Amino acid sequence: MVLISAIAAISLMAVITLICIMKRKAGGPSPIDEMEGRDFEQFCAELLRERGFVEVEVTKGSGDYGIDILAEKDGVTYAIQCKRYDTPVGVKAIQEAYAGRDYYDRMVGAVLTNQYFTAPAVEAAKKLKILLWDRGYLDSMMQE
């Protein structure tokens, strides 16, 4: 039963990714731009799994100290803040990833979004050493 659920989740992920790519190429809105926050977090978690991340865990939601996904890849641990926004992502998300990285005792903090980042957010991320994974990066992950 668990295997069937896992296969269904992977199949659903493949279909969503294909639809997203086709709609982006056609200039239409992508389904990820219409997802609810928790759905976007689950989508991102599955995408990370497909890209070789292990021990991928979506946090409980409230009281998560600003971190939505915990993961590991090549011995490096990550604390990831997901933002499914309609506008560019600001400094607050960077601050949350910074605080959450330390709270969860992870090596790397990152913000993954369907948008892009404001100039102040980029500056804050440089200063606080937070990875920024914007729409371009997300699209490239979906196309791999």
mmCIF file of all heavy atoms in Angstrom, residues 9-21 24 30-51 56 58 68-69 82-84 112-114 135 137-143:
data_model
loop_
_atom_site.group_PDB
_atom_site.id
_atom_site.type_symbol
_atom_site.label_atom_id
_atom_site.label_comp_id
_atom_site.label_asym_id
_atom_site.label_seq_id
_atom_site.Cartn_x
_atom_site.Cartn_y
_atom_site.Cartn_z
ATOM 1 N N ALA A 9 2.328 9.293 -5.982
ATOM 2 C CA ALA A 9 2.877 10.630 -5.717
ATOM 3 C C ALA A 9 3.907 11.013 -6.770
ATOM 4 O O ALA A 9 3.918 12.142 -7.265
ATOM 5 C CB ALA A 9 3.494 10.688 -4.321
ATOM 6 N N ILE A 10 4.768 10.072 -7.135
ATOM 7 C CA ILE A 10 5.786 10.345 -8.155
ATOM 8 C C ILE A 10 5.120 10.594 -9.508
ATOM 9 O O ILE A 10 5.506 11.504 -10.239
ATOM 10 C CB ILE A 10 6.806 9.192 -8.222
ATOM 11 C CG1 ILE A 10 7.651 9.191 -6.942
ATOM 12 C CG2 ILE A 10 7.687 9.310 -9.455
ATOM 13 C CD1 ILE A 10 8.505 7.959 -6.763
ATOM 14 N N SER A 11 4.115 9.800 -9.847
ATOM 15 C CA SER A 11 3.403 9.985 -11.112
ATOM 16 C C SER A 11 2.712 11.343 -11.153
ATOM 17 O O SER A 11 2.760 12.038 -12.165
ATOM 18 C CB SER A 11 2.376 8.876 -11.314
ATOM 19 O OG SER A 11 3.018 7.638 -11.408
ATOM 20 N N LEU A 12 2.064 11.715 -10.061
ATOM 21 C CA LEU A 12 1.406 13.013 -9.983
ATOM 22 C C LEU A 12 2.427 14.133 -10.145
ATOM 23 O O LEU A 12 2.193 15.107 -10.856
ATOM 24 C CB LEU A 12 0.647 13.158 -8.659
ATOM 25 C CG LEU A 12 -0.070 14.485 -8.444
ATOM 26 C CD1 LEU A 12 -1.109 14.715 -9.539
ATOM 27 C CD2 LEU A 12 -0.725 14.507 -7.079
ATOM 28 N N MET A 13 3.570 13.987 -9.500
ATOM 29 C CA MET A 13 4.638 14.985 -9.596
ATOM 30 C C MET A 13 5.100 15.126 -11.048
ATOM 31 O O MET A 13 5.293 16.237 -11.538
ATOM 32 C CB MET A 13 5.794 14.549 -8.701
ATOM 33 C CG MET A 13 6.997 15.403 -8.800
ATOM 34 S SD MET A 13 6.647 17.023 -8.158
ATOM 35 C CE MET A 13 8.231 17.750 -8.380
ATOM 36 N N ALA A 14 5.262 14.022 -11.742
ATOM 37 C CA ALA A 14 5.705 14.063 -13.139
ATOM 38 C C ALA A 14 4.677 14.778 -14.009
ATOM 39 O O ALA A 14 5.038 15.586 -14.867
ATOM 40 C CB ALA A 14 5.952 12.646 -13.650
ATOM 41 N N VAL A 15 3.409 14.512 -13.792
ATOM 42 C CA VAL A 15 2.342 15.158 -14.564
ATOM 43 C C VAL A 15 2.324 16.656 -14.286
ATOM 44 O O VAL A 15 2.244 17.473 -15.213
ATOM 45 C CB VAL A 15 0.964 14.511 -14.255
ATOM 46 C CG1 VAL A 15 -0.166 15.332 -14.838
ATOM 47 C CG2 VAL A 15 0.930 13.095 -14.786
ATOM 48 N N ILE A 16 2.388 17.055 -13.016
ATOM 49 C CA ILE A 16 2.381 18.478 -12.659
ATOM 50 C C ILE A 16 3.579 19.185 -13.278
ATOM 51 O O ILE A 16 3.451 20.270 -13.833
ATOM 52 C CB ILE A 16 2.359 18.670 -11.130
ATOM 53 C CG1 ILE A 16 1.011 18.245 -10.567
ATOM 54 C CG2 ILE A 16 2.651 20.122 -10.758
ATOM 55 C CD1 ILE A 16 0.949 18.208 -9.056
ATOM 56 N N THR A 17 4.749 18.561 -13.198
ATOM 57 C CA THR A 17 5.961 19.161 -13.769
ATOM 58 C C THR A 17 5.810 19.354 -15.272
ATOM 59 O O THR A 17 6.131 20.422 -15.804
ATOM 60 C CB THR A 17 7.188 18.281 -13.457
ATOM 61 O OG1 THR A 17 7.331 18.194 -12.037
ATOM 62 C CG2 THR A 17 8.449 18.873 -14.058
ATOM 63 N N LEU A 18 5.299 18.349 -15.969
ATOM 64 C CA LEU A 18 5.105 18.448 -17.414
ATOM 65 C C LEU A 18 4.125 19.569 -17.758
ATOM 66 O O LEU A 18 4.376 20.366 -18.670
ATOM 67 C CB LEU A 18 4.615 17.113 -17.976
ATOM 68 C CG LEU A 18 4.428 17.046 -19.482
ATOM 69 C CD1 LEU A 18 5.747 17.332 -20.187
ATOM 70 C CD2 LEU A 18 3.904 15.684 -19.882
ATOM 71 N N ILE A 19 3.030 19.659 -17.026
ATOM 72 C CA ILE A 19 2.042 20.725 -17.267
ATOM 73 C C ILE A 19 2.672 22.091 -17.029
ATOM 74 O O ILE A 19 2.476 23.021 -17.809
ATOM 75 C CB ILE A 19 0.795 20.525 -16.387
ATOM 76 C CG1 ILE A 19 0.013 19.294 -16.860
ATOM 77 C CG2 ILE A 19 -0.095 21.763 -16.403
ATOM 78 C CD1 ILE A 19 -1.076 18.847 -15.903
ATOM 79 N N CYS A 20 3.450 22.223 -15.953
ATOM 80 C CA CYS A 20 4.109 23.492 -15.640
ATOM 81 C C CYS A 20 5.034 23.918 -16.770
ATOM 82 O O CYS A 20 5.017 25.075 -17.200
ATOM 83 C CB CYS A 20 4.911 23.386 -14.339
ATOM 84 S SG CYS A 20 3.913 23.260 -12.856
ATOM 85 N N ILE A 21 5.829 23.002 -17.261
ATOM 86 C CA ILE A 21 6.773 23.308 -18.345
ATOM 87 C C ILE A 21 6.024 23.714 -19.609
ATOM 88 O O ILE A 21 6.356 24.710 -20.250
ATOM 89 C CB ILE A 21 7.704 22.105 -18.612
ATOM 90 C CG1 ILE A 21 8.648 21.902 -17.421
ATOM 91 C CG2 ILE A 21 8.491 22.305 -19.897
ATOM 92 C CD1 ILE A 21 9.388 20.586 -17.443
ATOM 93 N N ARG A 24 4.415 27.201 -19.167
ATOM 94 C CA ARG A 24 5.413 28.271 -19.153
ATOM 95 C C ARG A 24 5.896 28.556 -20.577
ATOM 96 O O ARG A 24 6.057 29.698 -20.959
ATOM 97 C CB ARG A 24 6.606 27.902 -18.271
ATOM 98 C CG ARG A 24 6.332 27.894 -16.810
ATOM 99 C CD ARG A 24 6.262 29.237 -16.190
ATOM 100 N NE ARG A 24 7.576 29.864 -16.172
ATOM 101 C CZ ARG A 24 7.777 31.110 -15.866
ATOM 102 N NH1 ARG A 24 6.778 31.868 -15.526
ATOM 103 N NH2 ARG A 24 8.969 31.640 -15.879
ATOM 104 N N SER A 30 1.446 29.054 -14.759
ATOM 105 C CA SER A 30 1.841 27.707 -14.379
ATOM 106 C C SER A 30 0.992 27.233 -13.205
ATOM 107 O O SER A 30 0.631 28.034 -12.347
ATOM 108 C CB SER A 30 3.316 27.714 -13.985
ATOM 109 O OG SER A 30 3.690 26.480 -13.454
ATOM 110 N N PRO A 31 0.695 25.946 -13.140
ATOM 111 C CA PRO A 31 -0.063 25.436 -11.991
ATOM 112 C C PRO A 31 0.610 25.726 -10.646
ATOM 113 O O PRO A 31 -0.077 25.894 -9.654
ATOM 114 C CB PRO A 31 -0.139 23.931 -12.245
ATOM 115 C CG PRO A 31 -0.042 23.799 -13.721
ATOM 116 C CD PRO A 31 0.889 24.898 -14.151
ATOM 117 N N ILE A 32 1.933 25.812 -10.619
ATOM 118 C CA ILE A 32 2.582 26.105 -9.335
ATOM 119 C C ILE A 32 2.246 27.508 -8.851
ATOM 120 O O ILE A 32 2.269 27.772 -7.661
ATOM 121 C CB ILE A 32 4.119 25.892 -9.355
ATOM 122 C CG1 ILE A 32 4.805 26.798 -10.362
ATOM 123 C CG2 ILE A 32 4.465 24.442 -9.563
ATOM 124 C CD1 ILE A 32 6.315 26.763 -10.299
ATOM 125 N N ASP A 33 1.896 28.407 -9.774
ATOM 126 C CA ASP A 33 1.533 29.770 -9.387
ATOM 127 C C ASP A 33 0.132 29.838 -8.787
ATOM 128 O O ASP A 33 -0.252 30.859 -8.235
ATOM 129 C CB ASP A 33 1.627 30.714 -10.590
ATOM 130 C CG ASP A 33 3.052 30.837 -11.097
ATOM 131 O OD1 ASP A 33 3.979 30.845 -10.270
ATOM 132 O OD2 ASP A 33 3.241 30.907 -12.320
ATOM 133 N N GLU A 34 -0.610 28.772 -8.915
ATOM 134 C CA GLU A 34 -1.978 28.727 -8.407
ATOM 135 C C GLU A 34 -2.125 27.795 -7.204
ATOM 136 O O GLU A 34 -3.204 27.662 -6.645
ATOM 137 C CB GLU A 34 -2.925 28.306 -9.540
ATOM 138 C CG GLU A 34 -2.910 29.308 -10.679
ATOM 139 C CD GLU A 34 -3.585 28.809 -11.942
ATOM 140 O OE1 GLU A 34 -4.046 27.645 -11.971
ATOM 141 O OE2 GLU A 34 -3.641 29.572 -12.909
ATOM 142 N N MET A 35 -1.027 27.142 -6.801
ATOM 143 C CA MET A 35 -1.065 26.220 -5.662
ATOM 144 C C MET A 35 -1.239 26.978 -4.349
ATOM 145 O O MET A 35 -0.813 28.116 -4.222
ATOM 146 C CB MET A 35 0.244 25.429 -5.564
ATOM 147 C CG MET A 35 0.444 24.401 -6.607
ATOM 148 S SD MET A 35 2.046 23.571 -6.332
ATOM 149 C CE MET A 35 2.012 22.426 -7.701
ATOM 150 N N GLU A 36 -1.836 26.291 -3.390
ATOM 151 C CA GLU A 36 -1.856 26.788 -2.018
ATOM 152 C C GLU A 36 -0.456 26.574 -1.436
ATOM 153 O O GLU A 36 0.317 25.751 -1.944
ATOM 154 C CB GLU A 36 -2.892 26.016 -1.189
ATOM 155 C CG GLU A 36 -4.317 26.252 -1.637
ATOM 156 C CD GLU A 36 -4.776 27.692 -1.468
ATOM 157 O OE1 GLU A 36 -4.398 28.340 -0.460
ATOM 158 O OE2 GLU A 36 -5.496 28.180 -2.348
ATOM 159 N N GLY A 37 -0.148 27.278 -0.365
ATOM 160 C CA GLY A 37 1.183 27.204 0.241
ATOM 161 C C GLY A 37 1.635 25.801 0.591
ATOM 162 O O GLY A 37 2.750 25.393 0.267
ATOM 163 N N ARG A 38 0.780 25.020 1.279
ATOM 164 C CA ARG A 38 1.160 23.655 1.679
ATOM 165 C C ARG A 38 1.361 22.756 0.460
ATOM 166 O O ARG A 38 2.257 21.911 0.456
ATOM 167 C CB ARG A 38 0.101 23.031 2.583
ATOM 168 C CG ARG A 38 0.170 23.348 4.057
ATOM 169 C CD ARG A 38 1.517 23.184 4.673
ATOM 170 N NE ARG A 38 1.703 21.909 5.340
ATOM 171 C CZ ARG A 38 2.804 21.572 5.989
ATOM 172 N NH1 ARG A 38 3.815 22.400 6.068
ATOM 173 N NH2 ARG A 38 2.915 20.404 6.559
ATOM 174 N N ASP A 39 0.533 22.933 -0.567
ATOM 175 C CA ASP A 39 0.705 22.145 -1.789
ATOM 176 C C ASP A 39 2.037 22.475 -2.449
ATOM 177 O O ASP A 39 2.727 21.587 -2.961
ATOM 178 C CB ASP A 39 -0.448 22.397 -2.761
ATOM 179 C CG ASP A 39 -1.776 21.876 -2.242
ATOM 180 O OD1 ASP A 39 -1.780 20.929 -1.427
ATOM 181 O OD2 ASP A 39 -2.819 22.428 -2.640
ATOM 182 N N PHE A 40 2.397 23.753 -2.450
ATOM 183 C CA PHE A 40 3.680 24.171 -3.020
ATOM 184 C C PHE A 40 4.837 23.553 -2.238
ATOM 185 O O PHE A 40 5.811 23.086 -2.835
ATOM 186 C CB PHE A 40 3.778 25.703 -3.040
ATOM 187 C CG PHE A 40 5.038 26.218 -3.670
ATOM 188 C CD1 PHE A 40 5.289 26.052 -5.018
ATOM 189 C CD2 PHE A 40 5.978 26.895 -2.908
ATOM 190 C CE1 PHE A 40 6.457 26.532 -5.604
ATOM 191 C CE2 PHE A 40 7.136 27.386 -3.475
ATOM 192 C CZ PHE A 40 7.383 27.199 -4.826
ATOM 193 N N GLU A 41 4.733 23.520 -0.926
ATOM 194 C CA GLU A 41 5.773 22.906 -0.100
ATOM 195 C C GLU A 41 5.927 21.425 -0.441
ATOM 196 O O GLU A 41 7.053 20.926 -0.593
ATOM 197 C CB GLU A 41 5.445 23.069 1.387
ATOM 198 C CG GLU A 41 5.520 24.506 1.856
ATOM 199 C CD GLU A 41 4.878 24.730 3.216
ATOM 200 O OE1 GLU A 41 4.568 23.730 3.920
ATOM 201 O OE2 GLU A 41 4.678 25.897 3.589
ATOM 202 N N GLN A 42 4.807 20.715 -0.566
ATOM 203 C CA GLN A 42 4.851 19.296 -0.918
ATOM 204 C C GLN A 42 5.457 19.097 -2.313
ATOM 205 O O GLN A 42 6.245 18.177 -2.536
ATOM 206 C CB GLN A 42 3.444 18.681 -0.861
ATOM 207 C CG GLN A 42 2.862 18.608 0.531
ATOM 208 C CD GLN A 42 3.563 17.605 1.432
ATOM 209 O OE1 GLN A 42 4.237 16.689 0.976
ATOM 210 N NE2 GLN A 42 3.405 17.783 2.729
ATOM 211 N N PHE A 43 5.074 19.966 -3.244
ATOM 212 C CA PHE A 43 5.612 19.914 -4.603
ATOM 213 C C PHE A 43 7.128 20.091 -4.573
ATOM 214 O O PHE A 43 7.870 19.333 -5.197
ATOM 215 C CB PHE A 43 4.955 21.002 -5.462
ATOM 216 C CG PHE A 43 5.513 21.100 -6.847
ATOM 217 C CD1 PHE A 43 5.085 20.237 -7.842
ATOM 218 C CD2 PHE A 43 6.468 22.052 -7.160
ATOM 219 C CE1 PHE A 43 5.604 20.322 -9.133
ATOM 220 C CE2 PHE A 43 6.990 22.149 -8.442
ATOM 221 C CZ PHE A 43 6.556 21.282 -9.426
ATOM 222 N N CYS A 44 7.592 21.091 -3.827
ATOM 223 C CA CYS A 44 9.029 21.363 -3.733
ATOM 224 C C CYS A 44 9.772 20.206 -3.080
ATOM 225 O O CYS A 44 10.871 19.840 -3.515
ATOM 226 C CB CYS A 44 9.276 22.661 -2.967
ATOM 227 S SG CYS A 44 8.744 24.133 -3.861
ATOM 228 N N ALA A 45 9.178 19.609 -2.051
ATOM 229 C CA ALA A 45 9.804 18.471 -1.379
ATOM 230 C C ALA A 45 9.995 17.311 -2.362
ATOM 231 O O ALA A 45 11.070 16.698 -2.409
ATOM 232 C CB ALA A 45 8.965 18.034 -0.184
ATOM 233 N N GLU A 46 8.975 17.032 -3.144
ATOM 234 C CA GLU A 46 9.078 15.936 -4.116
ATOM 235 C C GLU A 46 10.112 16.270 -5.198
ATOM 236 O O GLU A 46 10.877 15.403 -5.629
ATOM 237 C CB GLU A 46 7.716 15.649 -4.742
ATOM 238 C CG GLU A 46 7.694 14.402 -5.585
ATOM 239 C CD GLU A 46 8.108 13.136 -4.848
ATOM 240 O OE1 GLU A 46 7.780 12.986 -3.659
ATOM 241 O OE2 GLU A 46 8.784 12.298 -5.481
ATOM 242 N N LEU A 47 10.152 17.514 -5.607
ATOM 243 C CA LEU A 47 11.133 17.953 -6.598
ATOM 244 C C LEU A 47 12.558 17.767 -6.057
ATOM 245 O O LEU A 47 13.445 17.302 -6.782
ATOM 246 C CB LEU A 47 10.871 19.421 -6.956
ATOM 247 C CG LEU A 47 11.562 19.998 -8.167
ATOM 248 C CD1 LEU A 47 11.224 19.211 -9.425
ATOM 249 C CD2 LEU A 47 11.167 21.457 -8.342
ATOM 250 N N LEU A 48 12.773 18.106 -4.803
ATOM 251 C CA LEU A 48 14.081 17.914 -4.178
ATOM 252 C C LEU A 48 14.446 16.426 -4.131
ATOM 253 O O LEU A 48 15.590 16.057 -4.429
ATOM 254 C CB LEU A 48 14.106 18.523 -2.779
ATOM 255 C CG LEU A 48 14.036 20.052 -2.727
ATOM 256 C CD1 LEU A 48 13.769 20.520 -1.301
ATOM 257 C CD2 LEU A 48 15.308 20.683 -3.268
ATOM 258 N N ARG A 49 13.496 15.585 -3.775
ATOM 259 C CA ARG A 49 13.741 14.133 -3.753
ATOM 260 C C ARG A 49 14.197 13.657 -5.128
ATOM 261 O O ARG A 49 15.141 12.871 -5.249
ATOM 262 C CB ARG A 49 12.486 13.368 -3.345
ATOM 263 C CG ARG A 49 12.203 13.390 -1.873
ATOM 264 C CD ARG A 49 10.983 12.520 -1.521
ATOM 265 N NE ARG A 49 10.521 12.832 -0.196
ATOM 266 C CZ ARG A 49 9.509 13.668 0.079
ATOM 267 N NH1 ARG A 49 8.810 14.221 -0.884
ATOM 268 N NH2 ARG A 49 9.170 13.912 1.331
ATOM 269 N N GLU A 50 13.509 14.124 -6.160
ATOM 270 C CA GLU A 50 13.859 13.719 -7.528
ATOM 271 C C GLU A 50 15.227 14.239 -7.946
ATOM 272 O O GLU A 50 15.820 13.702 -8.881
ATOM 273 C CB GLU A 50 12.802 14.215 -8.510
ATOM 274 C CG GLU A 50 11.491 13.486 -8.381
ATOM 275 C CD GLU A 50 10.458 13.962 -9.390
ATOM 276 O OE1 GLU A 50 10.768 14.843 -10.220
ATOM 277 O OE2 GLU A 50 9.323 13.451 -9.348
ATOM 278 N N ARG A 51 15.731 15.247 -7.263
ATOM 279 C CA ARG A 51 17.037 15.831 -7.584
ATOM 280 C C ARG A 51 18.139 15.321 -6.674
ATOM 281 O O ARG A 51 19.201 15.910 -6.580
ATOM 282 C CB ARG A 51 16.985 17.370 -7.519
ATOM 283 C CG ARG A 51 16.005 18.012 -8.480
ATOM 284 C CD ARG A 51 16.311 17.654 -9.936
ATOM 285 N NE ARG A 51 15.235 17.993 -10.825
ATOM 286 C CZ ARG A 51 14.275 17.154 -11.214
ATOM 287 N NH1 ARG A 51 14.212 15.939 -10.764
ATOM 288 N NH2 ARG A 51 13.348 17.530 -12.060
ATOM 289 N N VAL A 56 14.171 14.041 3.109
ATOM 290 C CA VAL A 56 13.369 15.238 2.849
ATOM 291 C C VAL A 56 12.127 15.172 3.726
ATOM 292 O O VAL A 56 11.365 14.211 3.661
ATOM 293 C CB VAL A 56 12.979 15.338 1.354
ATOM 294 C CG1 VAL A 56 12.111 16.554 1.109
ATOM 295 C CG2 VAL A 56 14.225 15.359 0.479
ATOM 296 N N VAL A 58 8.851 17.600 5.201
ATOM 297 C CA VAL A 58 8.080 18.836 5.248
ATOM 298 C C VAL A 58 7.706 19.058 6.709
ATOM 299 O O VAL A 58 7.167 18.168 7.359
ATOM 300 C CB VAL A 58 6.816 18.756 4.361
ATOM 301 C CG1 VAL A 58 6.002 20.031 4.476
ATOM 302 C CG2 VAL A 58 7.202 18.492 2.912
ATOM 303 N N ASP A 68 10.207 25.237 6.020
ATOM 304 C CA ASP A 68 9.164 24.371 5.488
ATOM 305 C C ASP A 68 9.662 22.966 5.150
ATOM 306 O O ASP A 68 8.910 22.007 5.216
ATOM 307 C CB ASP A 68 8.547 25.007 4.246
ATOM 308 C CG ASP A 68 7.939 26.360 4.563
ATOM 309 O OD1 ASP A 68 7.143 26.439 5.519
ATOM 310 O OD2 ASP A 68 8.271 27.337 3.875
ATOM 311 N N ILE A 69 10.949 22.883 4.746
ATOM 312 C CA ILE A 69 11.506 21.589 4.345
ATOM 313 C C ILE A 69 12.892 21.416 4.963
ATOM 314 O O ILE A 69 13.722 22.328 4.898
ATOM 315 C CB ILE A 69 11.625 21.478 2.812
ATOM 316 C CG1 ILE A 69 10.253 21.607 2.151
ATOM 317 C CG2 ILE A 69 12.290 20.156 2.415
ATOM 318 C CD1 ILE A 69 10.300 21.676 0.630
ATOM 319 N N CYS A 82 9.981 27.839 1.809
ATOM 320 C CA CYS A 82 9.287 27.882 0.522
ATOM 321 C C CYS A 82 8.332 29.072 0.505
ATOM 322 O O CYS A 82 7.599 29.282 1.469
ATOM 323 C CB CYS A 82 8.484 26.606 0.293
ATOM 324 S SG CYS A 82 9.487 25.119 0.185
ATOM 325 N N LYS A 83 8.349 29.806 -0.592
ATOM 326 C CA LYS A 83 7.445 30.949 -0.739
ATOM 327 C C LYS A 83 6.770 30.884 -2.100
ATOM 328 O O LYS A 83 7.404 31.067 -3.130
ATOM 329 C CB LYS A 83 8.209 32.278 -0.612
ATOM 330 C CG LYS A 83 8.755 32.543 0.777
ATOM 331 C CD LYS A 83 7.644 32.724 1.770
ATOM 332 C CE LYS A 83 8.159 33.084 3.144
ATOM 333 N NZ LYS A 83 7.103 33.053 4.146
ATOM 334 N N ARG A 84 5.460 30.613 -2.091
ATOM 335 C CA ARG A 84 4.652 30.643 -3.310
ATOM 336 C C ARG A 84 3.928 31.973 -3.280
ATOM 337 O O ARG A 84 2.936 32.148 -2.593
ATOM 338 C CB ARG A 84 3.669 29.456 -3.312
ATOM 339 C CG ARG A 84 3.264 28.969 -4.687
ATOM 340 C CD ARG A 84 2.296 29.787 -5.482
ATOM 341 N NE ARG A 84 1.118 30.204 -4.742
ATOM 342 C CZ ARG A 84 0.499 31.359 -4.974
ATOM 343 N NH1 ARG A 84 0.933 32.213 -5.870
ATOM 344 N NH2 ARG A 84 -0.567 31.704 -4.286
ATOM 345 N N LEU A 112 13.270 28.969 -1.440
ATOM 346 C CA LEU A 112 12.850 28.459 -2.746
ATOM 347 C C LEU A 112 11.502 29.087 -3.083
ATOM 348 O O LEU A 112 10.564 28.992 -2.294
ATOM 349 C CB LEU A 112 12.738 26.934 -2.686
ATOM 350 C CG LEU A 112 12.226 26.188 -3.913
ATOM 351 C CD1 LEU A 112 13.085 26.470 -5.136
ATOM 352 C CD2 LEU A 112 12.202 24.684 -3.632
ATOM 353 N N THR A 113 11.414 29.729 -4.245
ATOM 354 C CA THR A 113 10.198 30.454 -4.597
ATOM 355 C C THR A 113 9.823 30.300 -6.063
ATOM 356 O O THR A 113 10.676 29.991 -6.906
ATOM 357 C CB THR A 113 10.340 31.956 -4.260
ATOM 358 O OG1 THR A 113 9.101 32.618 -4.539
ATOM 359 C CG2 THR A 113 11.453 32.608 -5.063
ATOM 360 N N ASN A 114 8.560 30.576 -6.343
ATOM 361 C CA ASN A 114 8.073 30.624 -7.721
ATOM 362 C C ASN A 114 8.260 32.019 -8.309
ATOM 363 O O ASN A 114 7.893 32.264 -9.451
ATOM 364 C CB ASN A 114 6.591 30.241 -7.777
ATOM 365 C CG ASN A 114 5.712 31.271 -7.096
ATOM 366 O OD1 ASN A 114 6.029 31.765 -6.012
ATOM 367 N ND2 ASN A 114 4.600 31.605 -7.716
ATOM 368 N N ARG A 135 12.626 31.662 -9.397
ATOM 369 C CA ARG A 135 11.799 31.019 -10.429
ATOM 370 C C ARG A 135 12.645 30.365 -11.508
ATOM 371 O O ARG A 135 12.348 29.255 -11.954
ATOM 372 C CB ARG A 135 10.854 32.055 -11.043
ATOM 373 C CG ARG A 135 9.931 31.489 -12.121
ATOM 374 C CD ARG A 135 9.199 30.268 -11.567
ATOM 375 N NE ARG A 135 8.195 29.765 -12.446
ATOM 376 C CZ ARG A 135 6.897 29.979 -12.297
ATOM 377 N NH1 ARG A 135 6.446 30.735 -11.324
ATOM 378 N NH2 ARG A 135 6.045 29.445 -13.115
ATOM 379 N N TYR A 137 15.622 29.106 -11.212
ATOM 380 C CA TYR A 137 16.212 27.899 -10.642
ATOM 381 C C TYR A 137 15.154 26.798 -10.510
ATOM 382 O O TYR A 137 15.410 25.638 -10.838
ATOM 383 C CB TYR A 137 16.832 28.219 -9.278
ATOM 384 C CG TYR A 137 17.645 27.094 -8.695
ATOM 385 C CD1 TYR A 137 18.943 26.871 -9.097
ATOM 386 C CD2 TYR A 137 17.099 26.249 -7.728
ATOM 387 C CE1 TYR A 137 19.708 25.830 -8.573
ATOM 388 C CE2 TYR A 137 17.844 25.207 -7.189
ATOM 389 C CZ TYR A 137 19.148 25.006 -7.611
ATOM 390 O OH TYR A 137 19.883 23.972 -7.085
ATOM 391 N N LEU A 138 13.968 27.185 -10.052
ATOM 392 C CA LEU A 138 12.869 26.227 -9.916
ATOM 393 C C LEU A 138 12.505 25.643 -11.277
ATOM 394 O O LEU A 138 12.350 24.413 -11.423
ATOM 395 C CB LEU A 138 11.646 26.914 -9.283
ATOM 396 C CG LEU A 138 10.410 26.050 -9.040
ATOM 397 C CD1 LEU A 138 10.701 24.935 -8.050
ATOM 398 C CD2 LEU A 138 9.274 26.920 -8.524
ATOM 399 N N ASP A 139 12.408 26.496 -12.298
ATOM 400 C CA ASP A 139 12.104 25.999 -13.646
ATOM 401 C C ASP A 139 13.180 25.041 -14.138
ATOM 402 O O ASP A 139 12.878 24.012 -14.736
ATOM 403 C CB ASP A 139 11.969 27.168 -14.632
ATOM 404 C CG ASP A 139 10.652 27.902 -14.490
ATOM 405 O OD1 ASP A 139 9.725 27.394 -13.816
ATOM 406 O OD2 ASP A 139 10.531 29.020 -15.056
ATOM 407 N N SER A 140 14.458 25.354 -13.872
ATOM 408 C CA SER A 140 15.536 24.473 -14.324
ATOM 409 C C SER A 140 15.486 23.132 -13.592
ATOM 410 O O SER A 140 15.765 22.094 -14.180
ATOM 411 C CB SER A 140 16.904 25.141 -14.154
ATOM 412 O OG SER A 140 17.254 25.248 -12.801
ATOM 413 N N MET A 141 15.088 23.151 -12.312
ATOM 414 C CA MET A 141 14.939 21.895 -11.577
ATOM 415 C C MET A 141 13.829 21.045 -12.163
ATOM 416 O O MET A 141 13.954 19.825 -12.262
ATOM 417 C CB MET A 141 14.631 22.166 -10.092
ATOM 418 C CG MET A 141 15.831 22.654 -9.299
ATOM 419 S SD MET A 141 15.391 23.079 -7.591
ATOM 420 C CE MET A 141 14.887 21.513 -6.927
ATOM 421 N N MET A 142 12.751 21.688 -12.599
ATOM 422 C CA MET A 142 11.620 20.947 -13.173
ATOM 423 C C MET A 142 11.972 20.368 -14.539
ATOM 424 O O MET A 142 11.419 19.358 -14.952
ATOM 425 C CB MET A 142 10.386 21.842 -13.269
ATOM 426 C CG MET A 142 9.790 22.156 -11.931
ATOM 427 S SD MET A 142 8.192 22.989 -11.968
ATOM 428 C CE MET A 142 8.489 24.392 -12.997
ATOM 429 N N GLN A 143 12.886 20.999 -15.261
ATOM 430 C CA GLN A 143 13.225 20.538 -16.604
ATOM 431 C C GLN A 143 14.291 19.442 -16.601
ATOM 432 O O GLN A 143 14.489 18.797 -17.620
ATOM 433 C CB GLN A 143 13.687 21.712 -17.454
ATOM 434 C CG GLN A 143 12.556 22.660 -17.756
ATOM 435 C CD GLN A 143 12.989 23.878 -18.533
ATOM 436 O OE1 GLN A 143 14.145 23.996 -18.933
ATOM 437 N NE2 GLN A 143 12.073 24.803 -18.733
#
